[in-house]
Structure formats: structure tokens, C-alpha cells
Amino acid sequence: MQKKTPMRQCLGCREMKAKKELIRVVRSPEGAVSLDFKGKSPGRGAYVCPRPECLKKAVKSKALERALEVKIPEELYLTMQERSEADHA
């Protein structure tokens, strides 16, 4: 029997996609916000497609900040943007 693929919703385009296709942003129990590429870090997670347009929508609507209930540092947005542009270059 085949294992069920975990699905998550992108905060930019609002589409359900496989968890492994998305970038996870995690707020640790201490309140620190970081990117989680393995999907195993403890804390509250929010997901965004690696596409630049999805990231722009999520930033503009402050969807990540609402989902994680914390202010997202500008450096984290820049890191996500660089990664999405590298993936789609």
C-alpha cells in the first residue's frame, strides 16, 4: 500500500501542494522565526511555494505574519526571495 503524501496550503496562491514542494517557515517555541528545509523543526509552521509570485503575494498580504502570529524579519524575506529566484532561474 502506498503512503499518503502530506499536503499543505501555500499562503501565496492558496493551492494545496505536497509538503515537500513548499518552503516551510517555522516559529520556534521560543519565538524565533527561521526557514526549515527538512520540515522537522519544532514549532508552528507556515508554507509558501518557491515561486517568486507566491512569495510576493504572501508578503503583500502579511499572510506569514498572521499564520505565525509574529513579525517576520526582513532578512528572512530576502533569503526566501533569493532562494525562489535561484530555483526559477
Side-chain angles (χ1 to χ4, degrees):
M1 193 159 105
Q2 209 172 13
K3 285 178 81 173
K4 190 173 176 185
T5 305
M7 302 293 281
R8 299 292 183 266
Q9 186 177 44
C10 169
L11 292 176
C13 62
R14 313 293 291 169
E15 290 180 21
M16 294 296 286
K17 299 193 178 196
K19 183 178 172 182
K20 292 205 181 276
E21 294 176 20
L22 302 171
I23 298 172
R24 182 176 188 238
V25 182
V26 64
R27 183 193 72 209
S28 71
E30 295 80 37
V33 180
S34 62
L35 295 179
D36 176 22
F37 297 108
K38 296 198 187 293
K40 303 276 186 195
S41 296
R44 179 156 183 83
Y47 297 84
V48 180
C49 293
R51 297 189 337 229
E53 54 272 14
C54 284
L55 180 59
K56 285 178 188 165
K57 282 183 187 176
V59 170
K60 187 176 179 183
S61 66
K62 297 190 186 293
L64 282 170
E65 293 183 4
R66 281 197 314 274
L68 298 177
E69 299 170 345
V70 70
K71 176 95 172 96
I72 306 292
E74 191 65 34
E75 303 85 54
L76 194 78
Y77 284 134
L78 292 174
T79 304
M80 290 174 69
Q81 186 175 4
E82 288 169 7
R83 183 166 171 97
S84 70
E85 287 171 357
D87 288 349
H88 288 85

